[in-house]
Amino acid sequence: MAPGAMGTVPAAHPATRAAAASLADVRPVPYWLDDPARPAALPALTGDERCDLLVVGGGYSGLWTALIAKERDPGRDVVLIEGREVAWAASGRNGGFCAASLTHGLPNGLARWPGELRTLEELGARNLDAIEDAVARHGIDCGFERTGEIDVATEPHQLAELYALKEEAERAGVTGVGGRTGLQVLDQDAVRAEVDSPTFLGGLYDREGVALVNPAALAWGLKRACLALGVRVYENTPGLALARSGPGMAVRTPYGRVFARQAALGTNVFPSLLRRVRPYTVPVYDYALTTEPLTTAQLASIGWRGRQGLGDSANQFHYFRLTSDNRVLWGGYDAIYPFGGRLDGDRDRRPETYLKLAGHFFRCFPQLEGVRFSHAWGGAIDTCTRFAAFYGTAHQGRVAYAAGFTGLGVGATRFGADVMLDLLAGERTERTELEMVRRKPLPFPPEPAAWAGIGLTKWSLARADASGGRRNLWLWTMDRLGLGFDS
């Protein structure tokens, strides 16, 4: 090659070029937050505050805790502090799947809590009903739709696994709890009659256990409901340190302090004010796209009349749904763990993942060739080694916490709020007696073991997807130890 010559850049595959073209006009912001109705942030805390209950975190976990605390006891003085703005993080940029499951799906529940799974399913069903009731009672305009969800199989082994899951759930007596209709297995013709993709081989339809919402609008509505009940909310007010103060607790903020009899920590992916809790979670970066609004003809070409949520059954899975203006939200697949668990806003944008997701989208829906994407975004969520939330108290019961929701927090955080308030009250309830609540998952190991282990797990999961679902020795070992990594 002559000095200074650049050589020949290999031509991109036509499918890659088409995927790249679909991203030409994309806005690198979460679709849900690109909304003129987004409320202005409330002022930050300056000086000192005193209250009965301090809630740290203005995502779903904290908002539900503050709201339910006031509903349980209207006379309780509640303060909520949020490090930035309500809904700016995971609560405002997720897919909007509000599931009844408290166990990160039936397979995880069957594997970890088989003896109390029926109770967990009943509690989850009641929790989803309570969310629907709260949305109506407080007039929260968040597009709540009880559409259900279909887990679709795109490989033969996945279809066999869905049939086996339904049979196992029926043996455990957990289908149809709470008056639900239970699960329905769909063959290829039946699933493609619901949503038409040439990649779909079948599906498992949960008609009542999942609702779809506009996630940011839900958080903004919960904030308004809290304010209406007298909760004092301070935004752009991170909690910096937690310490005992006389008979209660104190949290230091940049411009003041909050003194409270009790505190509830709902910070999830962000470092807990309790250091001993931090090893139980790691951050995972998840990414999503939304298309431009589909035309009537485009929507008809994929036959998506029921507006159900969908997810595929691979280890590296996609989730997808329609928005209120008939865009397709398409997310998942890549789950990026940063070395050391460091949170970095630069990771919220990942063009290589956007391109990968766009290519996968057109493979799933070739009928939509030529559709463009309007928004692309990403951000961190927390996960723990059992994929479902864990709970605890500190400082002799003055502090409660919940974390580790692993992507299914839209619904389960309300249950977590109830658990935290039960724990702070010192009450023995059906919730606090659960093994899920009484026991914690295994913590993640320190670096570099966490990085190596998570990397090997991701590689093994990808291999399993490509080899008929066969799990290698590493995954079998992790299964036996109750360890995992998921988004």
Side-chain angles (χ1 to χ4, degrees):
M1 183 181 294
M6 296 298 292
T8 302
V9 177
H13 188 278
T16 303
R17 291 199 300 270
S22 73
L23 295 163
D25 302 316
V26 78
R27 290 173 53 79
V29 294
Y31 165 70
W32 310 111
L33 299 181
D34 190 16
D35 186 342
R38 183 175 182 172
L42 295 169
L45 172 68
T46 58
D48 291 349
E49 267 279 23
R50 285 173 169 77
C51 60
D52 296 323
L53 173 66
L54 169 64
V55 179
V56 182
Y60 294 137
S61 190
L63 291 165
W64 280 119
T65 302
L67 182 66
I68 296 171
K70 291 295 285 186
E71 290 178 334
R72 288 190 183 189
D73 179 3
R76 180 160 24 188
D77 189 20
V78 179
V79 167
L80 182 149
I81 60 172
E82 160 56 38
R84 288 180 57 176
E85 296 181 32
V86 164
W88 80 273
S91 294
R93 62 173 178 244
N94 62 79
F97 286 70
C98 186
S101 177
L102 305 176
T103 62
H104 205 264
L106 270 176
N108 196 49
L110 286 163
R112 297 181 187 277
W113 302 284
E116 62 183 26
L117 186 58
R118 184 174 177 85
T119 298
L120 287 165
E121 288 289 295
E122 289 173 345
L123 289 170
R126 298 207 302 260
N127 184 64
L128 183 56
D129 289 342
I131 292 171
E132 185 172 16
D133 175 71
V135 165
R137 186 159 30 89
H138 295 288
I140 299 174
D141 183 11
C142 63
F144 189 99
E145 298 179 274
R146 200 74 170 258
T147 58
E149 181 180 9
I150 304 174
D151 290 329
V152 297
T154 58
E155 297 289 342
H157 75 273
Q158 295 170 8
L159 186 58
E161 289 168 358
L162 292 180
Y163 275 96
L165 174 60
K166 183 177 186 296
E167 292 174 358
E168 189 176 1
E170 288 174 344
R171 286 195 299 271
V174 297
T175 59
V177 299
R180 302 289 188 262
T181 57
L183 304 173
Q184 178 186 2
V185 175
L186 306 177
D187 63 17
Q188 185 172 36
D189 290 340
V191 74
R192 292 188 63 174
E194 298 288 346
V195 183
D196 189 14
S197 166
T199 67
F200 294 174
L201 304 180
L204 189 63
Y205 196 174
D206 180 357
R207 293 182 180 275
E208 299 180 65
V210 177
L212 297 181
V213 298
N214 175 325
L218 174 59
W220 297 332
L222 290 172
K223 172 184 165 182
R224 287 191 295 271
C226 286
L227 293 169
L229 293 183
V231 177
R232 299 195 300 287
V233 177
Y234 297 96
E235 294 180 90
N236 292 306
T237 303
L240 302 178
L242 172 74
R244 288 284 295 274
S245 177
M249 304 301 301
V251 169
R252 179 168 54 86
T253 72
Y255 310 121
R257 295 171 298 176
V258 184
F259 298 92
R261 288 195 307 108
Q262 296 177 317
L265 307 182
T267 50
N268 291 294
V269 73
F270 299 100
S272 176
L273 292 177
L274 295 168
R275 286 189 174 272
R276 69 175 186 239
V277 176
R278 295 179 186 179
Y280 290 95
T281 64
V282 296
V284 182
Y285 281 81
D286 180 54
Y287 300 90
L289 310 172
T290 49
T291 68
E292 60 193 355
L294 300 187
T295 66
T296 301
Q298 288 168 334
L299 195 57
S301 74
I302 56 175
W304 203 339
R305 290 176 294 276
R307 300 186 58 80
Q308 312 93 331
L310 292 103
D312 64 53
S313 302
N315 292 307
Q316 292 183 287
F317 62 93
H318 304 90
Y319 54 86
F320 40 116
R321 49 127 348 148
L322 292 172
T323 65
S324 60
D325 58 351
N326 289 331
R327 301 169 193 262
V328 179
L329 184 149
W330 178 267
Y333 194 81
D334 273 351
I336 306 302
Y337 168 69
F339 182 84
R342 289 188 294 269
L343 297 171
D344 184 348
D346 289 344
R347 291 191 177 92
D348 291 356
R349 301 179 182 182
R350 199 165 192 268
E352 59 268 43
T353 293
Y354 301 155
L355 183 62
K356 186 184 298 181
L357 285 173
H360 294 173
F361 175 84
F362 290 114
R363 195 176 309 149
C364 181
F365 293 122
Q367 311 96 304
L368 297 180
E369 181 182 358
V371 165
R372 296 229 172 183
F373 292 98
S374 61
H375 296 77
W377 69 94
I381 62 172
D382 66 336
T383 190
C384 66
T385 56
R386 73 183 190 191
F387 312 146
F390 62 91
Y391 311 89
T393 60
H395 294 283
Q396 297 178 305
R398 294 173 176 85
V399 177
Y401 58 85
F405 290 95
T406 315
L408 283 189
V410 181
T413 45
R414 188 198 172 280
F415 177 82
D418 265 329
V419 172
M420 284 194 284
L421 292 169
D422 288 350
L423 293 172
L424 289 173
E427 297 175 350
R428 291 183 63 178
T429 68
E430 188 175 26
R431 290 179 288 262
T432 62
E433 292 299 294
L434 292 167
E435 181 185 354
M436 170 191 277
V437 172
R438 291 184 292 106
R439 297 188 180 183
K440 290 183 177 58
L442 292 172
F444 287 94
E447 297 292 11
W451 171 262
I454 290 171
L456 181 55
T457 301
K458 288 178 59 180
W459 177 82
S460 299
L461 290 170
R463 288 269 305 214
D465 283 338
S467 58
R470 291 187 293 277
R471 298 172 77 81
N472 62 16
L473 180 61
W474 175 259
L475 292 180
W476 280 112
T477 303
M478 294 298 98
D479 291 342
R480 291 180 65 85
L481 294 175
L483 290 165
F485 174 77
D486 196 10
S487 65

